[in-house]
Amino acid sequence: MPTYEYRCQDCSGVSSFFVRSINSQLDPVCTHCQSTDMERRMSSFSMGKTVGSVHENFSAGSEGSPGYYNNPRNIGRGVESAFEKYGMDMPQTIRDNIDAARSGETPKGLDL
Ligand SMILES: [Zn+2]
């Protein structure tokens, strides 16, 4: 069931409303101060992959579980083990790339 989030223009409180379908009419009333001066917020379900869902994957379990390869801490594991397997030293450029990716820095400009 879709959830719409509205921000109250009077008290800035955020209220969530379940709607039966995307096209349902909704007359949102602030759950904090009963104001009807509400402004629709973008809900995560309509934005696809959000920063929030990325962070949820941080707690993903061990290799093979869903989310493992979305976990920045696991980036480059396969590359590392391949170099280890053949007893080779990993070139510094690859090492740097993996470390940068693992730092998990969120690219600027995603904060909607
Ligand atoms: Zn309010």
Side-chain angles (χ1 to χ4, degrees):
M1 203 181 294
T3 307
Y4 286 166
E5 282 192 343
Y6 285 81
R7 179 183 288 278
C8 176
Q9 301 300 290
D10 290 336
C11 75
S12 298
V14 174
S15 306
S16 298
F17 301 93
F18 293 109
V19 291
R20 237 168 285 165
S21 79
I22 289 285
N23 297 318
S24 291
Q25 285 299 316
L26 192 64
D27 293 315
V29 177
C30 179
T31 55
H32 307 280
C33 71
Q34 276 69 53
S35 169
T36 55
D37 190 8
M38 304 290 278
E39 183 184 71
R40 173 87 181 274
R41 298 178 83 217
M42 294 299 288
S43 286
S44 54
F45 81 89
S46 61
M47 287 196 296
K49 199 173 182 67
T50 63
V51 173
S53 69
V54 170
H55 281 279
E56 279 165 27
N57 285 330
F58 270 81
S59 56
S62 54
E63 185 166 12
S65 69
Y68 177 84
Y69 290 103
N70 292 326
N71 188 331
R73 286 174 300 189
N74 294 325
I75 291 171
R77 286 280 160 81
V79 180
E80 279 179 339
S81 59
F83 275 102
E84 246 169 59
K85 190 173 163 186
Y86 296 107
M88 294 163 64
D89 286 328
M90 184 181 291
Q92 190 60 38
T93 50
I94 296 178
R95 180 74 263 167
D96 289 346
N97 281 336
I98 292 174
D99 288 344
R102 279 184 186 167
S103 73
E105 281 235 338
T106 305
K108 302 285 182 238
L110 280 185
D111 190 9
L112 300 172

